[in-house]
Amino acid sequence: MTFLRFPEGFVWGAITAAYQIEGAWNEDGKGPSIWDTFVRQPGRIERGETADVAVDHYHRWLEDLALMQELGLKAYCFSISWPRILPQGIGQVNLTGLDFYDRLVDSLLAKNITPHVMLYHWDLPQALQDRGGWGERFIIDAYSEYARIVAQRLGDRIPFWVTHNEPMVISLAGNFLGEHAPGLQDPLVALRVAHHLLVAHGQAIQVLRLELPKTAKIGIILNITPTYPANDTEEDRQAARRYDGVANRLFLDPLFRGEYPADMIEMFGPIFPEIQPGDLQTIRAPLDFVGLNYYMRAVMRNDPEVMILQASQVYPSESEYSQMWEIYPPGMYDMLTRIQADYHPKEVYITENGVCVTDGVDFDERVRDERRIRYLRDHLAQVQRAIQVGVPLKGYFHWTLMDNFEWAFGYRMRFGLIYVDFTTQKRIVKDSGRWYAQVIRNNGFDPKA
Ligand code: FCB
């Protein structure tokens, strides 16, 4: 193979999330989020860790910006902490919170790094959860109002807007499995949460279109899990299809087609959420782009023991694994081509992709994370393949800029291109960070080098 070149103007970026990096959990007027509550409940987070301090980005953002520049990032996607802007979720605006993001945006622009903003990466104001959170319809207006406030302050300078990160994970991990905040285990609520997230997304798009310049692009980020049958049997194919339904189509179909998949309505039966007139039309608001997060595939087998889904996941023994998931680069290509064939988004970004492997600092203060470099190389090769066959892929954002608080795993999982010593807050660019910087400089890479 020869040098893999990417299209002119391809956007090379990195992405982070407010709760995972900012810290300053109760400073400068910020209200508590559901994660601030959740991490304080015994047994929720490994070793009882919290992101009260995280990597202290709220105070060290200038240093972090310098590191982004060192990597040569063309774009940076960050999320806004809703309770930093509206401590109670609605009502009184905390201007100090808006000032923080205002400074960040101006400084990014000054360094020629395009800001992409994510409105909701999981840190719902606790005051809204106290009223039922995403499980209740009032949240739709509350979210739109929050979107309006952010757009009015930052809209003139941010060209890319994302409504939600991974509605599927919010619904499933937060409200059915109870592994994420708010820690509920209720299938009924989980489905209502999914629906309300989508309606809120659509309504916020209407608000954003009114507030933002015509040139601003608006989209949503979905985590897509390509699904494969464990065996070449009709039973397993159906099992894979069902999992594809809950993980992918339940979100893609309403967003792109304005309808929920018939097989999912049937499968969930009486617990399928109530849909009010106009909801599907709202959800279907045209998107300028879709952001896709790719980490893993799901290999599924038929399993009547599992409630409702009647399918369970199989972990192929011949595969390579990271600390959290199977590593399967071809899934990136399969996902991108499938989304294009079935849903025809106008533009696509890979908005998250990355890996946690054990990173250690060597005697010379270097982090030789060869496995992450290999991971990046293998996945970027698949991204490039998808571009070759016509997927309108405009950019790639690596998850993540720097090691951080990885939700229920606490600080054990390191996904960064930059190593962080969580005691001293010292940052060290890993070998993968240097490798990525080179890819950005050359707009491509030699897969053999
Ligand atoms: C994604 C999340 C992100 C991070 C990565 C590893 O699902 O959006 O915050 O946890 O997984």
Side-chain angles (χ1 to χ4, degrees):
M1 256 201 274
T2 49
F3 189 84
L4 295 183
R5 195 175 302 284
F6 283 72
E8 183 104 12
F10 191 78
V11 177
W12 294 103
I15 179 163
T16 61
Y19 185 69
Q20 295 179 273
I21 62 167
E22 284 181 3
W25 76 286
N26 62 357
E27 279 180 47
D28 290 346
K30 176 181 166 292
S33 79
I34 53 174
W35 273 91
D36 294 316
T37 307
F38 190 68
V39 297
R40 286 175 167 67
Q41 296 168 354
R44 295 294 201 184
I45 312 294
E46 286 187 17
R47 295 165 302 281
E49 288 167 348
T50 76
D52 289 1
V53 177
V55 294
D56 199 27
H57 173 74
Y58 187 76
H59 299 113
R60 293 170 197 259
W61 63 277
L62 265 175
E63 181 187 346
D64 294 336
L65 210 66
L67 288 165
M68 291 179 215
Q69 199 175 26
E70 195 178 317
L71 294 182
L73 296 188
K74 305 280 185 222
Y76 172 55
C77 186
F78 62 94
S79 84
I80 293 197
S81 159
W82 183 347
R84 216 181 265 299
I85 309 300
L86 290 143
Q88 295 300 314
I90 49 171
Q92 188 72 38
V93 177
N94 177 33
L95 292 176
T96 320
L98 280 170
D99 291 344
F100 170 71
Y101 298 106
D102 201 273
R103 284 192 296 271
L104 180 65
V105 168
D106 281 346
S107 306
L108 283 164
L109 290 169
K111 292 193 185 312
N112 271 325
I113 302 173
T114 308
H116 289 227
V117 76
M118 156 64 66
L119 287 170
Y120 187 68
H121 198 129
W122 307 354
D123 44 358
L124 186 72
Q126 179 61 43
L128 300 184
Q129 185 63 42
D130 294 343
R131 294 170 54 196
W134 291 107
E136 298 298 329
R137 278 193 84 94
F138 83 92
I139 199 75
I140 298 166
D141 286 342
Y143 177 74
S144 306
E145 190 48 30
Y146 156 61
R148 184 195 315 279
I149 290 163
V150 177
Q152 281 175 348
R153 178 70 183 268
L154 304 175
D156 55 333
R157 283 156 293 153
I158 301 182
F160 290 87
W161 292 72
V162 189
T163 55
H164 300 311
N165 176 64
E166 302 186 344
M168 185 266 186
V169 175
I170 299 170
S171 159
L172 184 79
N175 296 276
F176 179 62
L177 300 174
E179 292 168 355
H180 284 179
L184 305 180
Q185 288 180 294
D186 186 333
L188 213 111
V189 174
L191 285 164
R192 288 163 60 95
V193 164
H195 182 62
H196 295 156
L197 279 163
L198 291 175
V199 181
H201 151 87
Q203 190 172 301
I205 289 191
Q206 293 171 16
V207 169
L208 291 171
R209 295 257 183 244
L210 289 176
E211 299 294 340
L212 298 175
K214 291 267 168 297
T215 48
K217 294 195 172 180
I218 310 172
I220 188 169
I221 291 183
L222 304 172
N223 55 305
I224 301 296
T225 308
T227 310
Y228 309 82
N231 300 289
D232 191 15
T233 62
E234 188 51 28
E235 276 192 327
D236 285 3
R237 269 195 295 277
Q238 289 301 331
R241 173 101 186 131
R242 286 195 295 281
Y243 190 73
D244 178 56
V246 290
N248 307 319
R249 288 182 288 116
L250 200 55
F251 300 89
L252 288 160
D253 282 17
L255 285 166
F256 286 95
R257 297 179 180 160
E259 62 191 26
Y260 279 110
D263 61 335
M264 290 294 105
I265 298 176
E266 195 189 319
M267 187 177 89
F268 286 113
I271 65 167
F272 204 80
E274 185 203 330
I275 298 162
Q276 293 195 2
D279 280 2
L280 290 164
Q281 199 49 39
T282 304
I283 296 174
R284 196 192 193 165
L287 297 170
D288 299 313
F289 66 91
V290 65
L292 302 174
N293 293 353
Y294 176 69
Y295 288 101
M296 69 192 112
R297 66 168 169 173
V299 179
M300 303 301 298
R301 70 176 175 85
N302 187 50
D303 184 354
E305 308 264 290
V306 177
M307 201 178 63
I308 303 175
L309 189 62
Q310 304 205 313
S312 54
Q313 198 164 343
V314 172
Y315 295 92
S317 56
E318 69 280 9
S319 285
E320 187 188 350
Y321 291 87
S322 70
Q323 282 180 290
M324 260 160 79
W325 297 311
E326 185 193 0
I327 299 178
Y328 186 68
M332 172 72 94
Y333 175 85
D334 291 351
M335 168 191 81
L336 285 166
T337 47
R338 181 269 175 111
I339 298 295
Q340 202 49 41
D342 288 358
Y343 300 100
H344 325 289
K346 277 192 221 146
E347 290 187 350
V348 180
Y349 287 82
I350 291 297
T351 34
E352 281 187 32
N353 172 238
V355 69
C356 57
V357 285
T358 36
D359 296 323
V361 184
D362 292 336
F363 80 103
D364 55 353
E365 297 267 288
R366 250 178 79 181
V367 179
R368 293 174 168 80
D369 57 339
E370 283 100 8
R371 280 189 77 194
R372 184 171 289 101
I373 296 179
R374 187 151 53 80
Y375 178 97
L376 255 163
R377 187 185 287 143
D378 292 347
H379 284 78
L380 287 176
Q382 298 292 331
V383 167
Q384 220 268 348
R385 247 182 96 204
I387 295 173
Q388 292 306 313
V389 299
V391 174
L393 201 81
K394 302 299 174 194
Y396 172 94
F397 288 77
H398 192 72
W399 182 269
T400 181
L401 181 67
M402 53 196 166
D403 295 340
N404 60 39
F405 179 81
E406 179 50 41
W407 310 113
F409 296 103
Y411 296 98
R412 185 161 64 90
M413 302 299 182
R414 294 178 173 273
F415 275 90
L417 295 168
I418 297 167
Y419 184 91
V420 180
D421 178 326
F422 297 122
T423 315
T424 61
Q425 296 293 354
K426 182 172 173 185
R427 278 89 159 123
I428 301 172
V429 177
K430 298 179 192 176
D431 280 8
S432 60
R434 300 181 197 201
W435 186 84
Y436 191 52
Q438 220 179 330
V439 173
I440 299 174
R441 264 198 309 279
N442 300 332
N443 197 31
F445 63 97
D446 180 348
K448 290 273 183 275

